[in-house]
Amino acid sequence: MWPYDHMPSWITISATAFIVVITVIRLVLVRHTTNYGRLINTLLGLDAAAALLREPVIARRVAGVVPGGLPTVFDIWHWLTVMAWACGLGMALFHGYGPTTRYRVRFRIVIGLAVAVGIAFLILSDPARAQGMSSVANDGGWRFGVYILLYSAVPVIVSSYYYTMKSRGKVWRATTVRERIMVAALVAFGALSALPICSIAVATALDATGITTAFGPHVFDVVSEALTSGEPGLFIFTAVVVVFVPSSAQAVMRLLRLDRESRAARRIYPLWRDLTGAAPQVVFQLKPADNWKVSPQERLHRRRIEIHDAAEIVARHVQPLPAVVDELIETTTHEEDQEHIRLVAEIVLAAERMPGTTDEPAIGEAYVPDEQTLLRFWQPAKALVQATNLTAQQHLLDR
């Protein structure tokens, strides 16, 4: 549909699908994020929308419901790309000024200029729309030349600003490794985007001096083909989106509870279950909807707090170990671990007795082993206690 399509559809559709999938993951699973993260999500959303409108199959369907038809879709596609670059510039401004009034004023100006570029696109493509053409590229002439310059100048401006901030140490010093890669990619892509403009400028200068060559028309044809096909821009944004694959993968891991915090919460769950079963009052109950929104970090932190609080309550009901348990510890446990496992076994027995006991807790604070000690020796202590219980039951049966 668009003029000058060169690549097979399966390649461009695969790139578009990749952009859309990563964007959907970010928008759905990384909603509660920082101001900078919201800028990233907005950039990806605009990028995904532009990539979808670039696909002829989708563009034809959208053209049926958009006033002006295909030329308007052509303009919206490029305007969305301009807005995505504007958000990229907003990320640089945010790094430079932080969430301050200076940042907000400058970012609003950037968005205003991007909107103005979109309006200019519509004005420049109006003759093509009136003649029923598919895009301003079919009309050609000076209007298309201005269109190309407006569209190509945006990534150059953004990447130049990034490079300026990088040279001043305002971007790379304040970002993570992943964000540094993104900054470097934007600078590189902006430098590549500057080549067409520089080439057109050189060709224009040669024509102005009276030097007649085929260089100028050839450069214009190459640039116009790249613009109207959208293929170079599609793969530039595909490369940018690759930077966000790790964070998207982490979001999926969190959803599936396979992230580090969720795995840690599962490791301490048996300890949490036994202690809170003896002291359920320490558990902070949330509504299902609120519990779903809790991050893995919060869930792990809350579980650790509840383990500590429950252990303090249970420890006040501790009684001396039965002789049979103490003897079993001496015969089955390494000497350096015996004291730790005795302390944990006392808490295990107290936790088992508490649900049906009416004993008054000891006055004052009781000694509670740290979380790592509890976690390490909880299951071995339970196994020893259960072994002594089974031995006692066997003796009763033998009688």
Side-chain angles (χ1 to χ4, degrees), residues 108-121:
R108 286 170 185 167
I109 292 173
V110 170
I111 294 298
L113 291 174
V115 171
V117 169
I119 295 172
F121 286 166

Side-chain angles (χ1 to χ4, degrees), residues 199-200 202-204 206-207 211-222:
S199 302
I200 291 174
V202 170
T204 304
L206 290 174
D207 290 341
I211 301 175
T212 304
T213 65
F215 178 72
H218 177 70
V219 168
F220 187 83
D221 290 342
V222 170

Side-chain angles (χ1 to χ4, degrees), residues 137-256:
N138 298 103
D139 187 34
W142 67 269
R143 292 175 180 272
F144 187 46
V146 175
Y147 198 108
I148 289 175
L149 289 174
L150 285 175
Y151 180 74
S152 302
V154 176
V156 175
I157 293 171
V158 174
S159 60
S160 298
Y161 192 85
Y162 264 94
Y163 181 79
T164 301
M165 295 190 71
K166 169 188 170 297
S167 62
R168 295 176 181 176
K170 291 186 177 180
V171 173
W172 283 34
R173 185 179 59 222
T175 56
T176 63
V177 173
R178 177 178 60 81
E179 291 167 348
R180 291 176 188 173
I181 295 173
M182 180 181 174
V183 171
L186 287 173
V187 172
F189 297 148
L192 292 174
S193 300
L195 291 177
I197 294 181
C198 293
S199 302
I200 291 174
V202 170
T204 304
L206 290 174
D207 290 341
T209 58
I211 301 175
T212 304
T213 65
F215 178 72
H218 177 70
V219 168
F220 187 83
D221 290 342
V222 170
V223 174
S224 62
E225 287 183 17
L227 173 69
T228 52
S229 71
E231 292 167 351
L234 176 66
F235 289 100
I236 283 175
F237 273 110
T238 301
V240 172
V241 171
V242 169
V243 179
F244 302 105
V245 170
S247 62
S248 301
Q250 290 172 5
V252 174
M253 295 289 279
R254 285 195 297 270
L255 177 67
L256 300 176

